[in-house]
Amino acid sequence: MRERHQDSEEHELAAAGLPLGDLAEVLAPSLFGGHRLVVVTGVHEAAAALTDQLLAYVKDPDPELTLVVVHHGGKRNEALVKAFKAAGAAVDECPKISSAGERIAFVRNEVRHAGGKITPDAATALLDAVGNDLRNLSAAASQLVSDFGGLVDADAVARFHRGQAEVTGFTVAERVLVGDSAGSIEMLRWALDRGVAHVLIADALADGVRTAARVASLNTTNIGELARQLKLPPWKVKKAQGQARGWSIDALQQAIGVAAELNADVKGAAASADYALERAVRRIVAIRAAGATGRGDRLRSGR
């Protein structure tokens, strides 16, 4: 619509709590002429009166107005969607993207759409840096292509999103799992200084340790086979394989115990969540260094 009507007047309204008068105002014929675009989001949450108003409009639409309604699925106000379809509305189905593999595919497609290519490790790094919000991922993908040209690699992502990956807590977990004592403490303090939630860091540590333990416990190194057995994306299996090197099964079990204690500590069991995080990081790194020896057992008991 924007390509056909570059000077169009645009309105975006959220259906939840929307006054009838506000919708009527933007749907009414314009005194100044020209095409208009009206987007009503979240119509699954629309009140009955608002739904009736939209249904009435469908029966006599304005040819100089493009109306877009966004429904998030489910049974609520499903009749509205059916009425729009029956009136000849074009429908764009947008299936929910829920798995990490689907989000990586989304990133690749967004980069391709912007005219570039992205390496597999860069796509993974972008997810770690930006998170799971699709709008943010799309914007980041476009910006990276614009700033770094056709090929986006992991170095480009690191330069553009310097420091953002640590915000998620995953960089702290990665440093811990490879036994980098100084690096893990540095990243932890950086994350806390930037206001990262204690629970997010603790969750990242627990997820990293558990995934490494799951990968290490199976008698195969085939990434495809591990991905099928563990129901994990291959990129996560490959990362976990690297992080599991240098660990024994007993040591990983001890680390899982520390992560479980930390989960309770950051949710109120400890007097200081900052101290609990740093103590857990040091303990897990030391457990890796000690292996499954008695020293590791003493570390687990906190002595």
Side-chain angles (χ1 to χ4, degrees), residues 5-269:
H5 306 282
Q6 296 183 7
D7 297 326
S8 64
E9 177 185 334
E10 299 185 16
H11 303 273
E12 182 171 340
L13 308 170
L18 178 64
L20 296 180
D22 289 2
L23 180 61
E25 181 179 350
V26 297
L27 293 180
S30 173
L31 298 176
F32 305 102
H35 201 87
R36 287 168 295 143
L37 169 66
V38 176
V39 180
V40 183
T41 61
V43 295
H44 59 292
E45 298 179 328
L50 190 72
T51 301
D52 291 341
Q53 189 175 17
L54 288 168
L55 290 172
Y57 174 81
V58 168
K59 296 176 182 177
D60 185 24
D62 183 348
E64 292 301 318
L65 184 147
T66 297
L67 173 63
V68 178
V69 296
V70 182
H71 190 284
H72 289 193
K75 296 294 184 182
R76 187 175 178 185
N77 286 340
E78 187 181 32
L80 179 66
V81 177
K82 292 180 178 178
F84 269 70
K85 289 181 179 179
V91 178
D92 287 320
E93 297 285 354
C94 303
K96 184 177 179 180
I97 294 178
S98 56
S99 72
E102 290 173 341
R103 284 189 285 272
I104 285 179
F106 175 82
V107 167
R108 286 199 303 265
N109 288 334
E110 289 298 294
V111 170
R112 188 180 303 116
H113 181 72
K117 293 181 180 180
I118 187 167
T119 61
D121 57 342
T124 301
L126 188 60
L127 276 179
D128 285 345
V130 177
N132 297 331
D133 185 87
L134 298 183
R135 288 192 180 191
N136 289 342
L137 285 171
S138 177
S142 299
Q143 191 64 50
L144 281 164
V145 173
S146 174
D147 287 356
F148 294 98
L151 180 63
V152 177
D153 58 16
D155 287 340
V157 174
R159 290 199 301 273
F160 186 73
H161 294 283
R162 190 178 305 278
Q164 291 301 310
E166 291 87 347
V167 172
T168 67
F170 288 110
T171 294
V172 178
E174 289 172 3
R175 298 290 180 92
V176 170
L177 284 163
V178 298
D180 182 358
S181 180
S184 58
I185 293 299
E186 178 186 357
M187 289 300 102
L188 173 63
R189 290 175 179 171
W190 183 94
L192 292 174
D193 184 62
R194 294 290 292 268
V196 183
H198 300 92
V199 172
L200 294 181
I201 301 174
D203 285 349
L205 279 169
D207 179 71
V209 172
R210 284 196 302 266
T211 304
R214 293 173 69 192
V215 168
S217 66
L218 297 177
N219 294 322
T220 179
T221 57
N222 183 281
I223 293 177
E225 180 62 25
L226 285 169
R228 284 190 293 272
Q229 290 191 44
L230 300 175
K231 296 182 180 179
L232 293 172
W235 67 266
K236 191 167 186 177
V237 170
K238 185 176 181 180
K239 178 183 285 188
Q241 281 182 321
Q243 293 172 347
R245 294 190 186 99
W247 283 90
S248 69
I249 296 297
D250 287 345
L252 283 167
Q253 289 174 342
Q254 293 175 36
I256 289 173
V258 173
E261 292 174 20
L262 176 63
N263 182 267
D265 286 342
V266 297
K267 292 179 179 177

Side-chain angles (χ1 to χ4, degrees), residues 242-301:
Q243 293 172 347
R245 294 190 186 99
W247 283 90
S248 69
I249 296 297
D250 287 345
L252 283 167
Q253 289 174 342
Q254 293 175 36
I256 289 173
V258 173
E261 292 174 20
L262 176 63
N263 182 267
D265 286 342
V266 297
K267 292 179 179 177
S272 169
D274 284 11
Y275 174 76
L277 277 167
E278 183 163 333
R279 179 171 178 266
V281 164
R282 293 185 185 277
R283 289 174 68 191
I284 294 173
V285 170
I287 287 170
R288 182 184 186 276
T293 66
R295 180 186 168 203
D297 292 334
R298 289 194 299 273
L299 286 164
R300 186 180 181 189
S301 66

